[in-house]
Amino acid sequence: PGEHRTVTLADGSTIAMNGGSRLSVRLSGKERLVEMGSAEAAFDIAHEAGRPFRAIGGERGVEVLGTPFDTRGDETAPRVAVSRGVVRVSDLENPARNVRLTMGQVVERADADDTLQVSTGPVEIAGWRTGRLIYDDRPLSEVVADLNRAYPTPIRTTGDAGDIRFTGVLTLEGQAGA
């Protein structure tokens, strides 16, 4: 937690990882595959038409048709945001259920009915890279998960507190300031 790391792959792609992230990378002649455990990362993928780039996290798969994109691979609030190019996001349990995203679009799993919802607007998912976490009606459990990636001392919610909705901007300046 609190450590950011950028890794350059052999194909020239880069992965910027948020604190507390785990992922594994397999590069083969046919495809490039990233398996995200509990991870939040920003990807800038080198285009190779004959060798697709795929990222799998939780029940969601991402196939890059262009770059870059940001994603959260945990089950707290799985999201994919596209800042340039085209990305296809699919539900691994139901591959027929997928969406194609272009620049400025975000997809996330809806709380109520577990569907993939696409929205358009500022791509704020990678706020951890700039030290500003921006929330619009998000559950407190998501805010706490983000703070636990940013700081070494864990924060927990009790009872139903994780269901409380939060709107606001948090500036990451050190755990005492959060």
Side-chain angles (χ1 to χ4, degrees):
E3 177 185 2
H4 296 172
R5 181 175 294 168
T6 299
V7 177
T8 302
L9 305 180
D11 67 355
S13 300
T14 60
I15 304 172
M17 297 183 295
N18 194 0
S21 293
R22 291 186 324 267
L23 52 81
S24 65
V25 177
R26 285 186 277 160
L27 302 176
S28 73
K30 294 182 180 182
E31 74 172 352
R32 300 165 291 169
L33 178 66
V34 173
E35 293 184 30
M36 300 178 66
S38 176
E40 184 170 16
F43 294 81
D44 193 354
I45 306 305
H47 180 72
E48 290 187 28
R51 193 164 72 142
F53 185 93
R54 293 186 175 92
I56 298 173
E59 299 171 352
R60 181 193 70 249
V62 177
E63 181 176 357
V64 178
L65 307 173
T67 73
F69 70 100
D70 306 301
T71 188
R72 168 183 292 192
D74 61 18
E75 296 304 319
T76 307
R79 283 185 282 177
V80 175
V82 179
S83 51
R84 187 179 74 232
V86 181
V87 171
R88 182 173 50 226
V89 179
S90 61
D91 185 328
L92 295 177
E93 291 185 0
N94 182 1
R97 188 166 82 167
N98 63 70
V99 294
R100 184 177 169 110
L101 303 175
T102 58
M103 184 173 83
Q105 290 185 308
V106 177
V107 65
E108 58 190 313
R109 199 173 288 283
D111 293 338
D113 59 4
D114 199 37
T115 59
L116 298 177
Q117 291 188 334
V118 177
S119 60
T120 303
V123 179
E124 302 292 354
I125 191 172
W128 56 271
R129 296 181 81 184
T130 61
R132 288 175 39 101
L133 303 179
I134 301 170
Y135 302 93
D136 183 17
D137 192 34
R138 304 305 305 168
L140 191 57
S141 59
E142 179 181 329
V143 177
V144 168
D146 288 345
L147 291 173
N148 284 337
R149 286 190 189 284
Y151 301 117
T153 304
I155 302 167
R156 291 179 176 65
T157 59
T158 58
D160 294 336
D163 297 332
I164 296 170
R165 308 303 283 192
F166 176 79
T167 297
V169 177
L170 301 177
T171 303
L172 303 176
E173 294 179 348
Q175 192 157 15

